[in-house]
Amino acid sequence: MADRLQELEVFVRVAERANLSQVAREIGLSQPSVSRILNDLEARIGARLLIRTSRKVGLTEAGQVYLDQIRPLLADLGAAADTAAGNEELRGVLRVELSVTFGVRALIPRLPSLLAEHPNLSVELMMDDRRRSLAEEGADVAIRLGLLDNSSMMARKVGQTPRLLVAAPDYIARHGEPSSPTELAQHQVIFGPSDSSGATFQELIDPQVRFVLPESPRIRVSSSAGVTACVVAGLGVAFGSGWMFNAELQDGRLRQLLPDFPLPTIPIHALFPAGRQPSKRARGFADWLSKSLGSS
């Protein structure tokens, strides 16, 4: 049983690192020994799990299916051992899927405290402004801002952030500052990755107060960082989370518009893959993030 468990652990490491030499160094074995373990596993399974060349290692289709099945099992075994030993330390590789802006501006500055608290934990950040499938990315947890899509994934709210309307001082000097939501129809609005193309964009606190965006905006950007760059350049007004604009608001490159008409806050959720209990790493990360965001 011990040999079989080692086979699984070596396979998962090689699949994650895509490098035999690196895995051999990490576990203190020679590269031929790691190759032999993988060969024994494939012989026992009766399927080719890995494509190995002199330059890289990749998963076959069967290997990806096998990885998806055994990774949570190994995580559960580790969590069970830690629980039995009364050990609350997080260890292993935690894969987090999240947007670029939230990662750069909110999560990464907080990571030193997490890694200092859990020295045996490694973090892999899969940062993309497009929302991807956790199963497709192999992520343990995803951080989502905004309303959640209907899905079978488990979700936990870990915080919230203000939703702001901003513009650059130069834009305001040229086009004037709106005094009510209805005046926004006369302004250039920058559409970001989460904006819809429908006429009604956001509803303010007063449900009777709405504004309409142009059907064909002059600027549409596929990333939050691009939205921030456009609004700083004076190309128009933009909506976004406090994380997107905080630095620029503090240094004066942007100004908040219509502060007397606050928009609903943006919820922040941790999402876990469907069909199984979240790993101890994922649950611990969500606990830590909730505390960290709550203290800011």
Side-chain angles (χ1 to χ4, degrees):
M1 176 62 71
D3 290 342
R4 289 192 175 184
L5 183 58
Q6 183 189 44
E7 286 179 351
L8 299 181
E9 291 174 340
V10 169
F11 168 69
V12 170
R13 279 180 179 261
V14 171
E16 292 172 350
R17 306 292 194 271
N19 188 304
L20 288 178
S21 299
Q22 180 181 352
V23 172
R25 289 193 300 271
E26 290 176 352
I27 62 179
L29 294 176
S30 66
Q31 185 171 331
S33 296
V34 172
S35 294
R36 177 184 56 77
I37 291 171
L38 295 173
N39 289 336
D40 291 345
L41 174 62
E42 290 179 326
R44 183 167 60 82
I45 296 298
R48 189 180 185 189
L49 304 176
L50 296 163
I51 301 172
R52 285 170 271 175
T53 69
S54 59
R55 293 187 176 183
K56 64 178 182 178
V57 180
L59 287 167
T60 64
E61 184 176 349
Q64 183 63 61
V65 171
Y66 192 62
L67 176 66
D68 291 341
Q69 292 177 340
I70 67 169
R71 181 186 275 156
L73 297 178
L74 289 177
D76 290 344
L77 285 175
D82 286 341
T83 300
N87 184 6
E88 296 302 320
E89 181 186 352
L90 305 180
R91 59 181 66 240
V93 180
L94 173 72
R95 296 167 188 81
V96 184
E97 190 268 321
L98 70 169
S99 70
V100 176
T101 299
F102 187 79
V104 169
R105 299 203 172 197
L107 180 63
I108 291 176
R110 290 173 162 80
L111 273 185
S113 67
L114 175 68
L115 298 182
E117 185 178 349
H118 302 282
N120 293 309
L121 180 69
S122 300
V123 178
E124 181 178 334
L125 300 179
M126 293 173 267
M127 296 163 58
D128 196 324
D129 282 330
R130 294 172 294 177
R131 294 190 175 187
R132 297 182 179 274
S133 163
L134 270 71
E136 174 187 345
E137 293 294 313
D140 299 296
V141 58
I143 305 302
R144 296 279 191 264
L145 275 69
L147 299 178
L148 297 177
D149 300 328
N150 292 328
S151 74
S152 58
M153 289 187 293
M154 297 175 58
R156 174 187 168 185
K157 186 177 179 180
V158 294
Q160 62 186 16
T161 181
R163 190 192 309 270
L164 305 176
L165 174 67
V166 299
D170 175 66
Y171 176 88
I172 295 172
R174 288 183 286 113
H175 298 276
E177 182 172 354
S179 59
S180 70
T182 55
E183 293 182 18
L184 290 170
Q186 311 303 318
H187 286 264
Q188 298 294 332
V189 179
I190 300 165
F191 275 54
S194 62
D195 300 342
S196 67
S197 59
T200 300
F201 181 63
Q202 294 293 348
E203 185 172 340
L204 300 183
I205 295 300
D206 182 348
Q208 303 302 315
V209 181
R210 294 172 181 263
F211 59 88
V212 177
L213 297 185
E215 294 183 3
S216 300
R218 294 188 66 186
I219 303 290
R220 186 186 295 273
V221 192
S222 62
S223 76
S224 298
V227 171
T228 302
C230 285
V231 71
V232 168
L235 294 174
V237 302
F239 292 88
S241 69
W243 306 114
M244 286 176 61
F245 306 131
N246 185 53
E248 289 77 11
L249 287 168
Q250 289 184 353
D251 64 23
R253 284 181 290 167
L254 292 180
R255 282 175 50 188
Q256 182 180 358
L257 301 179
L258 299 177
D260 294 332
F261 296 88
L263 290 158
T265 58
I266 302 174
I268 305 171
H269 288 89
L271 268 62
F272 308 101
R276 59 181 172 88
Q277 283 294 107
S279 67
K280 179 181 177 180
R281 288 189 298 271
R283 296 194 307 271
F285 171 77
D287 290 341
W288 167 81
L289 184 60
S290 179
K291 293 178 182 177
S292 181
L293 292 176
S295 65
S296 61

